[in-house]
Amino acid sequence: CIGCVAGKYVAESGSDQSSDCRDCIAGQYSASTGASVCIDCAAEVPFSDAGATTASAWPLAASFPQQ
């Protein structure tokens, strides 16, 4: 099995290809290597970008529209 880096997960059981690692979607994160699922951000820290390793209480700058 492959151990994907933090911020990614592998949904394919028994996968041995790094290309099977997928980014956690925005609003989820994976803090550890080898995750098979991503964790939903909690209500008190609801923000994360795709591929995040942690959640944040504040939206990231990239989330704001450009003026």
Side-chain angles (χ1 to χ4, degrees), residues 11-60:
E12 307 294 325
S13 179
S15 173
D16 61 356
Q17 301 293 316
S18 62
S19 60
D20 290 334
C21 294
R22 298 190 176 121
D23 283 344
C24 295
I25 62 170
Q28 296 182 337
Y29 69 97
S30 170
S32 61
T33 300
S36 59
V37 296
C38 296
I39 301 165
D40 288 332
C41 297
E44 57 274 0
V45 285
F47 301 103
S48 74
D49 280 341
T53 58
T54 61
S56 173
W58 300 100
L60 302 171

